[in-house]
Amino acid sequence: MTDVEFQLVRTKRKNLAIQVCRDGSVVVRAPLGCTEKRAAEFVEQKKEWILKNQRKMQEQSLQRRENELPPEEREKMIREACRVFPRRVAFFAEKMGVTYGRITIREQKTRWGSCSSKGNLNFNWKLIRMPQEILDYVVVHELAHRMEMNHSPRFYRIVASVLPDYRIRERWLKAHGGEY
């Protein structure tokens, strides 16, 4: 019926849903009683949307590959991050009157930084590729968690007391590198 290949997953749900995965494969989630024929009809109805999203995933995959650095360049950036982050953290921690524990540089897929309840800070080395103002925003954001371990209005008042333009920086980060 349809020329779009898909995997059918039946679950305790009331409606049909389509997911286009990062690799371009298509998953149809359907109620337990849904027939293969009904799922195929649904896929055919949504074919244009599926193809559009498969193209989008293909473009994103290509872009990710283009953004990958050669190993020696990546190592150079990580060394730079290991040099820069401790300096920026020390500068802002003193300014904010907070202490912190260990600083770890990682390659996280979904986070730019984090702060544990013990005060240990993690930063994504890829921030080193961004403007200094953005890197500083992430540092201040994580250090603000030393006073407020949530994202309440009080937390953002702390961030704003150090970086009054933090909203501009946060918007830039969301537009160029993902959520924060």
Side-chain angles (χ1 to χ4, degrees):
M1 173 162 257
T2 183
D3 55 345
V4 175
E5 287 186 33
F6 64 92
Q7 175 189 0
L8 180 59
V9 178
R10 293 182 180 95
T11 60
K12 290 182 182 178
R13 60 182 300 129
K14 293 186 175 159
N15 53 14
L16 289 158
I18 296 176
Q19 174 186 8
V20 177
C21 302
R22 278 180 115 179
D23 65 0
S25 62
V26 177
V27 176
V28 176
R29 300 190 190 287
L32 293 172
C34 182
T35 65
E36 187 110 13
K37 182 180 181 218
R38 172 66 189 113
E41 288 169 354
F42 186 64
V43 167
E44 190 61 32
Q45 289 170 1
K46 303 294 182 183
K47 184 176 178 178
E48 195 174 308
W49 180 87
I50 292 168
L51 295 174
K52 182 181 99 179
N53 281 280
Q54 284 178 322
R55 281 191 300 274
K56 185 175 160 187
M57 293 298 180
Q58 197 173 23
E59 288 167 11
Q60 287 175 350
S61 177
L62 182 61
Q63 190 174 20
R64 275 192 300 276
R65 282 195 301 277
E66 287 172 358
N67 288 339
E68 287 177 7
L69 294 172
E72 60 279 355
E73 186 66 24
R74 184 177 173 277
E75 286 304 314
K76 182 179 162 195
M77 295 269 193
I78 292 170
R79 281 193 306 276
E80 178 74 0
C82 289
R83 190 179 62 75
V84 169
F85 273 101
R87 287 200 331 246
R88 300 312 290 162
V89 168
F91 173 80
F92 283 110
E94 184 177 335
K95 192 172 188 172
M96 297 169 74
V98 296
T99 60
Y100 56 93
R102 187 176 62 250
I103 297 172
T104 306
I105 307 301
R106 296 194 168 140
E107 183 170 350
Q108 298 134 304
K109 292 202 185 312
T110 59
R111 291 179 180 222
W112 293 114
S114 62
C115 176
S116 75
S117 57
K118 293 180 180 174
N120 294 325
L121 304 171
N122 294 306
F123 295 102
N124 192 322
W125 71 265
K126 292 179 181 178
L127 278 166
I128 205 72
R129 300 170 74 183
M130 296 189 182
Q132 178 79 42
E133 298 80 28
I134 305 308
L135 187 150
D136 286 348
Y137 164 68
V138 174
V139 168
V140 169
H141 182 106
E142 297 312 331
L143 287 172
H145 284 306
R146 296 297 292 133
M147 293 182 266
E148 197 70 29
M149 282 299 282
N150 55 48
H151 291 116
S152 65
R154 185 177 185 292
F155 169 84
Y156 283 105
R157 280 195 297 275
I158 294 165
V159 174
S161 72
V162 182
L163 300 173
D165 68 342
Y166 83 89
R167 283 190 178 100
I168 295 167
R169 298 174 193 223
E170 186 178 54
R171 276 195 299 272
W172 190 96
L173 185 59
K174 285 179 181 178
H176 293 87
E179 287 299 312
Y180 198 74

